[in-house]
Amino acid sequence: MRTRFAPSPTGPLHLGHAYSVILAHDMARAAGGEFLLRMEDTDLQRCRPEWEALIIEDLAWLGLTWDGDVLRQSDKIATYNARLETLDERGLLYPCSCTRGDIRAALSAPQEGVAHPVYPGICRSRTLASRLPGDALRLDLGKALSVLARQDLTFTETGPTHCGRQVVDPELALATIGDVVLSRKGEDIVAYFLASAFDDADQGITHVIRGEDLFEFTPIQVILQHLFDLPTPVYHHHRLIRDENGKRLAKRDDARAIRKYREDGATPADIRNMVGLS
Ligand code: GLU
C-alpha cells in the first residue's frame, strides 16, 4: 500500500487536515506500506513557501514520517502541459475564452442537481490553432467518452459514505461534469484534478485517502486516467471534521490551526483524540 498527503500550501493545516494526514499515514504504516508527501502548489498566487514550511513543521510535530523527497507540483508544470497537449492530437481539447458571466448568460435555466454550472459548449467548435493568449483549455467530454466507450470506467471506494464499486455513468458525467477546464485561463497551469491524477500515477499511489468533499471529482479523474492510460487507485473518501455548527473547517479557520493548538500546549496525542483517531 502506498498513500499520500497532498496539501495545497495556501494556509495553515487545521484539524481536518490532521485527520486526513494521520489516517493516510497510519493506514500505510499499518499495512507495512509507504506514505508520501506532495505539495499541490500550482496556484502560484496563493501558495507560499512559509505555508509549506509550516506544514512540514506541523507534520513532524505530529510524529509523522514520509518516504522519499517531498514532491512539488510547481516543479512539474512544463511536464503537465506537454502531457496535456497530447490530448489535442486526439482532437479532445479546445480553447475557451468564456468568462463566468458568458457561461451564466448562456445557461438559460438553472441546472438542477448540479453543484457547479456545466459548461454549455460555446467554444466547443474551436480548434487549438485558434487559441489566443489567455484562453483556457477544455476537455471535449462527449468525444472523450466516445473514445473510452469500451472501457470499464469504475473505481473502488472504501470510505464510509460511498463504500463499494463505483461506476462512472457517461450520461451523468455529461450532465453534471461536462467540458471541464484542464488548463486554467491565462496561466497555462493544468487543473488540480489533472495534475493530481498524473502524480498519483507517477508516484505509484495505490490508495488515495482524502476528504469526502473531493468524492465528486473522482469520476473526472477516472476518465482522465483512462485517457492517459494511467492506473486507477483505490479511493477512500473520509468524513470531514466540522465545527460546532456543523460547518466543515476551511483554511481560514485559524482558530483550529494545528499551530495554534501546539502553541497552546496540546500534545500530538491530544490532536489524535480531538479528531477521533487515538
Ligand atoms: N490539494 C488538495 C487539497 O488540499 C488535495 C487533493 C487530493 O488529496 O487529491 O484539498
Side-chain angles (χ1 to χ4, degrees), residues 27-38:
M27 280 172 79
R29 297 296 181 226
E34 289 175 291
F35 170 73
L36 274 54
L37 180 59
R38 172 164 89 223

Side-chain angles (χ1 to χ4, degrees), residues 138-158:
R138 285 187 185 273
L139 175 70
D140 185 330
L141 185 65
K143 267 196 204 160
L145 287 168
S146 47
V147 168
L148 301 176
R150 288 174 199 286
Q151 299 206 23
D152 175 35
L153 298 178
T154 59
F155 63 99
T156 301
E157 169 67 39
T158 61

Side-chain angles (χ1 to χ4, degrees), residues 45 55 58 65 67 71 78 81 87 103 114 133 144 146-147 149 161 182 192 198 205 226 257 262 265 278:
Q45 310 287 331
I55 290 172
D58 282 344
T65 54
D67 298 292
L71 182 137
N81 284 331
L87 287 187
I103 297 172
V114 171
S146 47
V147 168
T161 311
L182 293 185
Y192 128 76
F198 283 147
I205 302 301
H226 282 263
R262 272 165 54 191
S278 40

